[in-house]
Amino acid sequence: MLSVSQRALQMPASPIRKLVPFAEQAARKGIHIHYLNIGQPDIKTPPAFLQAIKNAQLDVLAYSHSAGNYPFREKLAQYYQRLGLKVSPDEIIVTTGGSEAILFAMMTCLDAGDEVLIPEPCYANYLGFAAETGIQVKSIPSDIESGFALPDREAFEQAIGPRTRAVLICNPNNPTGHVYTLEELRVLEDFCRKHQLFLFSDEAYREFCYEGTHYSALSLSSIRDQVVLLDTISKRYSACGARIGALISHHPEVVASALKYAQARLSPPTLEQIGAAAALDLPPDYFQATRQEYKQRRDTLVKLLNEIPGVFCPMPQGAFYAMARLPVKDADSFCQWMLESFSYEGETVMMAPGAGFYATPGLGLQEVRIAYVLEETALIRAMHCLKIALEQYPDRCMP
Amino acid sequence: MLSVSQRALQMPASPIRKLVPFAEQAARKGIHIHYLNIGQPDIKTPPAFLQAIKNAQLDVLAYSHSAGNYPFREKLAQYYQRLGLKVSPDEIIVTTGGSEAILFAMMTCLDAGDEVLIPEPCYANYLGFAAETGIQVKSIPSDIESGFALPDREAFEQAIGPRTRAVLICNPNNPTGHVYTLEELRVLEDFCRKHQLFLFSDEAYREFCYEGTHYSALSLSSIRDQVVLLDTISKRYSACGARIGALISHHPEVVASALKYAQARLSPPTLEQIGAAAALDLPPDYFQATRQEYKQRRDTLVKLLNEIPGVFCPMPQGAFYAMARLPVKDADSFCQWMLESFSYEGETVMMAPGAGFYATPGLGLQEVRIAYVLEETALIRAMHCLKIALEQYPDRCMP
């Protein structure tokens, strides 16, 4: 048989999904699994989103504009304007999910062999898209003890090399839940201005901040043309399956180049732009209920986690993830064991092993990412399950 | 301002869409444009497709499986089985349009610097995706005089080099309308077997053959594991805006590798898989009416084209495109002139200049691609317009 490409062999498998076969096996045995491994919220998609699609009078489900239909881009621009960000429809490329915005940003701004600096742990698929585009990731470790705050400026200065072209952050952060302070963003602004780097800012979880204020990288005026905003409606409106995201830039050449990639793939999905446009018309208080729900879950989850002997979980300020350190040597094996060999009252828990969110081998081995995407009662049961599992786990190692 | 990447600068702009600003200008002047430049059919999307989406009872618009939801893949597999192709759901990766199937196939099977052989003229975005993935295109010219039949085996043998890894065909062909005969496919089978190459076969227009039989590359049994089928529902069900395609392979490693790329981008759109599943339930005679409609248009278009002095258009056997040679030195300038400086009774025609479908500079300069995606009366008016335009065009050059 012909061999596949070297790049395909080197493409990392998703750390979020690689335990799926073990979960399927557990499910076949009748075990109820609390799925805390993936960022698929249980929050209802706004009925207005789905209703707008049902109401659409289309005879032909035609291509949209490659950059997204103009009326939808106008609504998106208004959404950013309400946040105090001056964005025009012509500065927006609607993408097929936030995923494609990441891919377009990387290809538009970096050549194969160029380097991007990413604080780690980071969204695992950044590493996948970097592998796809031949970009080298230089990761800068952040520390669980500091609540995964932005690493020191010094660490960034040391990481930079002749082929460094960009910094990539996720704010609020997936997987850590850290929300970057204005001071942290100013450090990045200064660093990117000094070294003439692009700043990619993934703000998928913007609305989900539980303490303080969210500052968008797009508000950093001294690097106005260097910021590329990566966005998606997936989490905002619990519409992950819609595949509607956006790339936003004030740099005309970045937009023009991203458009060429957009034209090659013809168009983002048409119907979901209609749904998303309706969702953008929701009153600003739409997010309050969801935010309150996530905050409640977060408080419960983090409290229960830290009550388990040997577990440490800093308080995330945003998104709907928590990174926790467990009293085990290898969280990967532990997560697999929980699916393969453990159940408590017919239940178990699926979590994402932390190592997959680090580019540096050996980091995050004791950590797991927990997505609080289930309602509180399920979270409470899941944390009780985890506590029992850690008591029974043969390879437990208390600090 | 920071410069974008070299690859972004080198990424070709879409030849189909680059005349758009001139068209917009003409439209602003009140000129009615017959859009024959792009493969957006006017055929109605099957009501069952849209109705299934309207009927879907979803509270949460969740991610689908990265490879596409299993029930949809089962229906797709049954569709291929009805065509006599033994495909299992596990051999299918549902992609975001046929576009993504092309991208995944290229990344999965070829490394940057590897070569793919493509008969030209070819679907222009193949060149875009090759540029994105760093793959070299070695194009093998086909000839308008032969109706764009497969180039001789000798031409393929001469084109092959140490880094050649694949051949890519589109069958029925966009832009030529050529349908490869079984003999032509046997030549490709033998060539790919001898040189151990992948055969990528884009069969988006499978149902639109007006003469003879369509043979799928997936039926070439001696290179069973080397064939990667690229497919889409866009044209089949006039659902271009749905963004549902598929990559199909009997090679387990190709499927497993494509799945890694699929997981990185999370999932194809969810709602449209529901719509497409309903469309796949339509009776096989669904295509008869559409096929008859396109055949009628083709017959009218090609007859009228060949009646214009100096124009030559071979009879396409499939898809809904015709490549015609015009009595002009540079069809690009002529197409622009028709939008910028010409109208007849308040109307003009937009066509896609042929050169953009060739990788070899200097080829196709006299050719245009015409998509017969408008009803017959509009086609008749458009061809009359073209006839008048060629009479008035200052740079006309009769052979």
Side-chain angles (χ1 to χ4, degrees):
Chain A
M1 261 191 206
L2 284 186
S3 161
V4 298
S5 65
Q6 283 304 309
R7 62 177 153 196
L9 294 172
Q10 284 156 18
M11 176 78 184
S14 165
I16 304 171
R17 296 177 185 230
K18 71 180 177 179
L19 293 173
V20 168
F22 299 103
E24 286 171 349
Q25 205 181 330
R28 273 196 296 272
K29 286 193 283 185
I31 296 173
H32 176 78
I33 302 164
H34 297 287
Y35 292 99
L36 303 180
N37 60 309
I38 186 166
Q40 171 58 62
D42 62 342
I43 303 287
K44 281 188 182 175
T45 309
F49 184 110
L50 296 165
Q51 199 56 49
I53 291 174
K54 292 185 184 195
N55 291 348
Q57 298 295 326
L58 294 173
D59 279 340
V60 181
L61 183 53
Y63 292 121
S64 79
H65 191 292
S66 292
N69 282 328
Y70 199 81
F72 175 53
R73 280 186 281 148
E74 281 182 314
K75 275 206 192 296
L76 265 180
Q78 288 158 13
Y79 159 79
Y80 293 114
Q81 286 157 16
R82 288 197 296 272
L83 296 170
L85 304 169
K86 281 189 187 156
V87 172
S88 86
D90 295 327
E91 295 172 319
I92 299 174
I93 303 285
V94 176
T95 55
T96 306
S99 306
E100 194 178 63
I102 302 166
L103 184 67
F104 285 179
M106 288 184 168
M107 290 193 297
T108 294
C109 300
L110 283 81
D111 281 303
D114 284 348
E115 276 178 8
V116 60
L117 307 183
I118 311 181
E120 65 181 342
C122 68
Y123 177 53
N125 286 323
Y126 294 155
L127 310 179
F129 289 116
E132 282 187 33
T133 54
I135 291 169
Q136 302 300 311
V137 171
K138 199 130 183 191
S139 55
I140 305 179
S142 67
D143 181 20
I144 193 169
E145 301 290 346
S146 77
F148 299 106
L150 190 75
D152 287 345
R153 168 79 181 247
E154 189 50 33
F156 278 89
E157 294 289 353
Q158 280 177 10
I160 204 162
R163 297 210 57 178
T164 308
R165 295 270 297 157
V167 175
L168 168 54
I169 59 167
C170 182
N171 179 29
N173 192 274
N174 172 8
T176 70
H178 181 68
V179 176
Y180 291 103
T181 63
L182 189 55
E183 291 66 38
E184 289 175 321
L185 288 177
R186 292 273 181 238
V187 169
L188 288 173
E189 179 181 24
D190 193 65
F191 179 75
C192 289
R193 190 180 54 241
K194 175 181 162 194
H195 296 289
Q196 286 294 292
L197 306 175
F198 286 103
L199 177 59
F200 300 155
S201 184
D202 179 347
E203 302 182 5
Y205 300 91
R206 180 183 299 118
E207 274 78 11
F208 306 126
C209 289
Y210 316 113
E211 332 274 346
T213 308
H214 180 263
Y215 298 97
S216 173
L218 217 55
S219 65
L220 301 173
S221 56
S222 83
I223 55 167
R224 191 176 178 280
D225 299 323
Q226 290 158 248
V227 174
V228 182
L229 184 65
L230 313 174
D231 212 343
T232 171
I233 65 152
S234 291
K235 316 292 172 167
R236 186 164 301 142
Y237 298 115
S238 193
C240 297
R243 315 314 297 131
I244 297 291
L247 177 152
I248 295 103
S249 164
H250 293 309
H251 189 316
E253 256 189 275
V254 167
V255 176
S257 298
L259 180 59
K260 288 197 284 184
Y261 293 114
Q263 285 177 338
R265 61 72 164 124
L266 305 174
S267 97
T270 297
L271 286 175
E272 287 82 351
Q273 294 179 59
I274 296 168
L280 285 165
D281 279 339
L282 291 169
D285 65 3
Y286 162 76
F287 295 109
Q288 280 175 17
T290 311
R291 196 184 294 119
Q292 185 52 39
E293 171 68 24
Y294 281 133
K295 183 176 190 300
Q296 178 75 26
R297 293 178 184 183
R298 176 199 69 157
D299 292 346
T300 301
L301 176 82
V302 175
K303 178 171 169 287
L304 292 176
L305 274 170
N306 283 311
E307 282 173 8
I308 302 174
V311 172
F312 172 60
C313 180
M315 181 61 86
Q317 300 106 44
F320 40 68
Y321 306 101
M323 280 291 271
R325 187 175 57 207
L326 306 183
V328 299
K329 275 214 184 73
D330 179 32
D332 210 330
S333 306
F334 174 68
C335 289
Q336 185 174 329
W337 177 85
M338 275 198 79
L339 295 168
E340 241 186 339
S341 313
F342 172 83
S343 70
Y344 173 73
E345 295 184 348
E347 299 180 12
T348 193
V349 181
M350 186 167 182
M351 301 173 297
F357 299 93
Y358 287 83
T360 307
L363 289 186
L365 294 180
Q366 294 190 284
E367 296 170 15
V368 289
R369 187 193 72 171
I370 298 175
Y372 40 102
V373 291
L374 300 183
E375 51 174 4
E376 208 179 352
T377 49
L379 283 179
I380 293 170
R381 291 190 71 87
M383 288 307 102
H384 192 61
C385 224
L386 174 62
K387 178 168 173 275
I388 305 286
L390 282 167
E391 284 166 11
Q392 294 184 7
Y393 188 53
D395 291 336
R396 178 186 169 94
C397 62
M398 287 303 282
Chain B
M1 265 193 203
L2 285 185
S3 161
V4 298
S5 65
Q6 283 305 309
R7 61 178 152 196
L9 293 172
Q10 284 156 19
M11 177 78 184
S14 165
I16 304 171
R17 294 175 187 234
K18 71 179 177 180
L19 292 174
V20 168
F22 300 101
E24 287 170 348
Q25 205 182 329
R28 274 196 295 274
K29 286 192 282 184
I31 296 172
H32 176 78
I33 301 165
H34 297 286
Y35 292 98
L36 303 180
N37 60 309
I38 187 165
Q40 172 58 62
D42 62 342
I43 303 286
K44 282 190 182 176
T45 309
F49 184 111
L50 296 165
Q51 199 56 49
I53 292 174
K54 293 186 183 194
N55 292 348
Q57 297 295 326
L58 294 174
D59 279 340
V60 181
L61 184 53
Y63 292 122
S64 78
H65 191 292
S66 293
N69 283 327
Y70 200 80
F72 176 54
R73 280 186 282 149
E74 282 182 313
K75 274 205 194 296
L76 265 180
Q78 288 158 12
Y79 159 79
Y80 293 113
Q81 285 156 17
R82 287 196 296 272
L83 296 171
L85 304 169
K86 282 188 186 157
V87 171
S88 87
D90 295 327
E91 295 172 321
I92 299 174
I93 303 285
V94 177
T95 55
T96 306
S99 306
E100 193 178 62
I102 301 165
L103 184 67
F104 285 179
M106 287 184 169
M107 291 193 297
T108 294
C109 300
L110 283 80
D111 281 304
D114 285 348
E115 275 177 10
V116 58
L117 308 183
I118 310 181
E120 65 183 342
C122 68
Y123 177 52
N125 286 322
Y126 294 153
L127 310 178
F129 289 117
E132 282 188 33
T133 55
I135 292 170
Q136 303 300 312
V137 171
K138 199 128 184 194
S139 55
I140 305 179
S142 66
D143 180 20
I144 195 169
E145 300 289 345
S146 77
F148 299 106
L150 189 75
D152 287 346
R153 167 79 180 246
E154 190 50 31
F156 278 90
E157 294 288 353
Q158 281 176 8
I160 204 163
R163 297 210 57 178
T164 308
R165 295 270 297 156
V167 175
L168 168 53
I169 59 168
C170 182
N171 179 30
N173 192 274
N174 172 7
T176 69
H178 182 68
V179 176
Y180 290 103
T181 63
L182 189 55
E183 291 65 38
E184 288 175 320
L185 288 176
R186 292 274 180 237
V187 170
L188 287 173
E189 180 181 24
D190 192 66
F191 179 74
C192 289
R193 190 178 56 239
K194 175 181 161 194
H195 295 289
Q196 286 293 291
L197 306 175
F198 286 103
L199 177 58
F200 299 156
S201 184
D202 178 346
E203 302 181 4
Y205 300 90
R206 180 184 299 117
E207 274 78 10
F208 305 127
C209 288
Y210 315 113
E211 332 275 343
T213 309
H214 179 263
Y215 298 96
S216 172
L218 217 55
S219 65
L220 300 172
S221 56
S222 83
I223 55 167
R224 190 175 180 279
D225 299 323
Q226 291 159 246
V227 174
V228 182
L229 184 64
L230 313 174
D231 212 344
T232 172
I233 66 153
S234 291
K235 315 294 172 165
R236 187 164 300 141
Y237 298 114
S238 192
C240 297
R243 313 315 296 134
I244 297 290
L247 177 152
I248 295 104
S249 163
H250 293 309
H251 189 317
E253 258 190 273
V254 167
V255 176
S257 299
L259 180 59
K260 288 197 285 184
Y261 293 114
Q263 286 177 339
R265 62 71 164 125
L266 304 173
S267 94
T270 297
L271 286 175
E272 288 80 351
Q273 294 179 58
I274 296 168
L280 285 164
D281 280 339
L282 291 169
D285 65 3
Y286 162 74
F287 296 109
Q288 280 175 15
T290 311
R291 195 184 295 119
Q292 184 53 39
E293 171 68 26
Y294 281 132
K295 182 175 190 300
Q296 177 76 28
R297 292 178 184 183
R298 175 199 69 158
D299 292 345
T300 300
L301 176 82
V302 175
K303 177 171 169 287
L304 292 176
L305 275 170
N306 283 311
E307 282 173 7
I308 301 174
V311 172
F312 171 61
C313 179
M315 180 63 84
Q317 298 107 43
F320 40 69
Y321 305 102
M323 282 290 270
R325 188 175 58 206
L326 306 184
V328 299
K329 274 215 183 73
D330 179 31
D332 209 330
S333 307
F334 174 68
C335 289
Q336 185 176 328
W337 177 85
M338 274 198 81
L339 295 167
E340 241 186 338
S341 315
F342 172 83
S343 70
Y344 173 73
E345 295 183 351
E347 299 180 14
T348 192
V349 181
M350 186 168 183
M351 301 174 294
F357 300 92
Y358 287 82
T360 307
L363 289 187
L365 294 181
Q366 295 190 285
E367 296 169 17
V368 290
R369 187 192 74 170
I370 298 174
Y372 39 101
V373 291
L374 300 182
E375 52 176 2
E376 208 179 351
T377 49
L379 283 179
I380 292 170
R381 290 189 71 87
M383 287 308 100
H384 191 62
C385 224
L386 175 62
K387 178 168 174 274
I388 306 287
L390 282 167
E391 284 166 9
Q392 294 185 5
Y393 188 53
D395 290 336
R396 178 187 168 94
C397 63
M398 287 302 284

